[in-house]
Amino acid sequence: MYTEFYGLTSEPFLLTPDPSFYFDSSVHSQAMAHLLYGLQRGEGFIVVTGEVGAGKTTIVQHLCDTIDRSRVAAAHIVTTLLNGAELIRMVCSAFEMRDIPHAKEDALIRLRAHLEALYRQGRKPLVIIDEAQNLSPAALEELRMLSNFQIGNQAPCQIFLVGQPQFRETMANPNLDQLRQRVIAAYHLGPLERDDCAEYLMHRMRLVNWKNDPEFSPESIDAVFTHTGGVPRRINTLCSRLLLMGFLDDLHVFSGDDVERVAEDLREEQGVRRNGLPAPMEENNYLSVEDDTNLWRRQDYLHARLDEHDRAIRHIFKSLARMIDPEWLSRK
């Protein structure tokens, strides 16, 4: 609804990773530089870690969209809890191999032959493991064995491991010493700085034909950065709700207070406690009659929610009226 209200071609802050919205911030460009360095070296492991929502998958998708497919054959795998044999079969599937043997040993033989064939065609095989924190040490050891494949003195396969911060704890396992020795570069993707946060927000808005409506005041951008810590997915969540509120309230300029209001709603929905008091929407949170402070707090919250729904219904009604009879509103 807010896309039509603001004249946008699509939603700028969807939570699903989309490489077309890739933003080359200072931290994301560093992560990309490490991955490209790994491609240039053509051997060993590259490890990239980052917090949930930091943009790791978007970087991987951007890399896959920009590499020369005639020179690189990329297999992108998003792992669940896989054992070694399952992981090998998943790699085979990602390289679009058919009739994959069920036995791990047979699958490895087929995979090695496939990698060597790609290499001889002048295409460098690249295996990208996303959500690598889900891999067991045994599965990681299978990947190390995969990196042992050689044609002459050349490694036919490059492996990137991308995961959440706890993956570094997995890598510290004493049994993975040989794998650690094959890591040629590692990078931790941190949150955006304040200036990058502002440019990230503007970048995504510009990609959907934004004409400075709505306008984001400096105070609103400061508040977005404060409440999201510069984590891209949190920025997307907050700004999507902000645009929806702007549509409901006929706002064309966002203030810091507007962002505070949306951030408070998100906190309430997530059951965050403030000032030692339970959030009104927290599950199984029953208030005693004697607790006037909490009782009034819940009532205020519910009234605010009802007001928001009432505004939403009015705006939907107006939008439908405009589509059915554009002259109707001028007659009311």
Side-chain angles (χ1 to χ4, degrees), residues 51-205:
E51 298 292 342
V52 174
K56 302 181 297 297
T57 299
T58 301
I59 288 174
V60 168
Q61 292 177 343
H62 178 68
L63 175 72
C64 291
D65 283 351
T66 54
I67 57 179
D68 185 350
R69 292 287 180 162
S70 67
R71 301 180 61 185
V72 179
H76 181 198
I77 300 167
V78 180
T79 69
T80 53
L81 298 175
L82 303 175
N83 60 36
E86 292 167 338
L87 180 60
I88 294 301
R89 288 177 56 82
M90 185 71 77
V91 172
C92 292
S93 178
F95 277 117
E96 298 182 348
M97 294 171 55
R98 296 181 179 180
D99 301 322
I100 304 166
H102 184 74
K104 184 183 72 175
E105 294 78 6
D106 295 333
L108 277 170
I109 292 172
R110 285 278 312 281
L111 178 58
R112 177 168 185 164
H114 184 76
L115 296 178
E116 290 177 352
L118 288 172
Y119 188 83
R120 291 193 175 97
Q121 293 168 14
R123 299 181 69 199
K124 180 74 174 180
L126 169 64
V127 178
I128 305 172
I129 308 292
D130 209 346
E131 301 295 343
Q133 74 278 353
N134 293 330
L135 294 177
S136 66
L140 287 167
E141 182 62 14
E142 292 292 347
L143 287 176
R144 184 189 70 80
M145 297 300 293
L146 193 62
S147 72
N148 279 345
F149 293 170
Q150 285 190 308
I151 300 177
N153 62 349
Q154 298 292 319
C157 183
Q158 174 81 56
I159 301 175
F160 293 167
L161 300 173
V162 181
Q164 295 175 20
Q166 57 265 38
F167 181 58
R168 290 179 291 180
E169 299 176 11
T170 303
M171 288 291 293
N173 189 304
N175 295 326
L176 295 177
D177 185 55
Q178 294 186 71
L179 175 61
R180 286 194 299 273
Q181 292 175 14
R182 292 173 184 261
V183 175
I184 61 174
Y187 182 75
H188 182 71
L189 182 63
L192 304 178
E193 298 292 340
R194 193 276 180 197
D195 289 345
D196 274 342
C197 175
E199 188 53 38
Y200 172 85
L201 193 158
M202 300 295 113
H203 168 77
R204 295 189 74 105
M205 291 294 292

Side-chain angles (χ1 to χ4, degrees), residues 41-55:
R41 282 286 300 272
E43 63 176 355
F45 291 81
I46 300 291
V47 176
V48 173
T49 55
E51 298 292 342
V52 174

Side-chain angles (χ1 to χ4, degrees), residues 215-236:
E215 180 182 344
F216 293 83
S217 70
E219 293 77 18
S220 72
I221 295 174
D222 287 339
V224 168
F225 178 69
T226 297
H227 289 291
T228 64
V231 177
R233 189 179 299 165
R234 295 178 189 170
I235 297 172
N236 289 2

